[in-house]
Amino acid sequence: MSKPESTYDVIVVGAGPAGYVAAIRAAQLGLKTACVDHWTNINGDPSLGGTYINAGCVSSMALLESAKIYDLMRHGLADHGISVENIKLDLPKMIGRKNEKIARLSRQILNVFAEKKINYYHGQGKLLNADQVSVTPADGAKPIKLNAPNIILATGSTSIDLPCAPIDNEFIVDTTYALNMTSIPKRLGIIGSGVIGLELAGIWNRLGSEVILLEAQESFLPIVDHQIAAEAYKIYSVQGLDLRLGARVTSAKKTNNKVVVDYQNPEGSHTLRLDKLIVATGRKPNSENIAAPEAELLLDENGYIHVDENCCTTVPGVYAIGDLTLLGPMLAHKGLEEGVFVAEHIANRHNPINYNIMPSVIYTDPEIAWVGQTEQALQAIGQKYRTGTFTLKSNGRAESIDKTEGLVKIITHAETDLILGIHIIGANASELIAEAVLAMEFSASGEDLARTIHAHPTISEVLHEAALAIENRSLHLP
């Protein structure tokens, strides 16, 4: 914990992507900055980066990469003329590698803090009034008070609990525990087939678990373009995921070292016996006890903090960013951009965020990524549009590396050809979406993308070919 000082220009509460970036940008702008964060790792040490690094995207991607390598060695090397025998899985070591990545990235943030002279306090921050935050140190020391005319709340979000499936982190586990299991469940259940549920399912399926996903909604990935969602359902089912839609869990309890789950669907009532059950039913703002009552910080009934278009709360000089607000989706990069925006706003710079072209990614294998409008959303408002699609199985690079699952879909305005949305499922979708976002940022048309020269052979050519397909002139479709 940094040496206590009392007065700053900016205090940031929370050190996830929104918080640590806000602190760094504020310091870059010459503002004396402090950052308060309470995250403690499995060794009892402070760990910056919030859920994103410690128990979210980074952790999930690290384990998925290991799981993909293990799965490839078991099932995919023969076609390459490679034979490997006696493959062994050391799951604790795999988890250890993931934790090493977390520690390295956390140290990197701490090093930047040190370089920018940002004071870091390891403890629980709480807004007391418009210009004061109390810090309860994680080591049990006496609380201290920090003062600043500008306070940024960035405490992120936490998993939603289900009364019907109480977490014990032994048999019924939360998503954080699910990234730290050191034995492979033979039969694994997951409540929720959204982003988090699918990412966890992909990891444990590749490591050898039989994975059953119980999704209360009748449709699969309703936030995703329907054509992409349908393709994803088909691919993930072929991979071995047992996706059960319209399955509403009514109870889950430990019985004889198993988890007995009761659920209902349109066909009636059903019972499952599982070795482990993961609850992955979404997230809620981590706003409980974020402010003293006398601070008069206004929250809605779901715990979201009320803010205006500049992320200003109802308390003068106090801002809220990231998962704490309803401005945009719960995404790490959304919070990151808001952190930069608010720091610059405090420094009297104004560079607004375009929430309409905020990319989204699901880190499964293959990945799903999209930006802009879905086809169903355009149909709902009666907007006339055109589409172009191209499959990865028709792409030379994808064929050469055995990554032919998936497709790209581009949606343009029927009259102006302005790109309205780009949707991808396939290898490197999380990287390909950057070109889509850039094109939309510059108000590109489908023709602009069709005229852009792409290196050949590359997977990025699927975007080029999908743009050509809008005019029925793809070059590599049979």
Side-chain angles (χ1 to χ4, degrees), residues 89-123:
L89 174 63
D90 187 338
L91 186 55
K93 188 170 184 178
M94 186 181 291
I95 298 295
R97 173 189 174 275
K98 180 261 297 181
N99 290 337
E100 288 173 6
K101 302 299 181 186
I102 290 171
R104 188 173 302 163
L105 290 169
S106 178
R107 285 196 301 271
Q108 183 174 304
I109 299 170
L110 198 59
N111 290 338
V112 176
F113 274 19
E115 186 213 341
K116 303 297 180 186
K117 295 181 172 57
I118 299 167
N119 273 13
Y120 163 55
Y121 295 85
H122 183 215

Side-chain angles (χ1 to χ4, degrees), residues 450-468:
R451 289 180 176 273
T452 300
I453 299 172
H454 289 69
H456 176 74
T458 59
I459 291 179
S460 67
E461 287 180 282
V462 292
L463 286 164
H464 180 239
E465 291 274 10
L468 290 169

Side-chain angles (χ1 to χ4, degrees), residues 339-377:
V340 172
F341 168 77
V342 167
E344 293 182 349
H345 181 78
I346 290 169
N348 295 315
R349 301 188 184 191
H350 191 69
N351 296 299
I353 298 169
N354 187 350
Y355 289 97
N356 293 323
I357 54 170
M358 187 74 64
S360 296
V361 179
I362 304 177
Y363 293 100
T364 45
D365 184 27
E367 297 172 340
I368 301 173
W370 69 96
V371 62
Q373 299 275 21
T374 62
E375 189 170 356
Q376 63 263 27

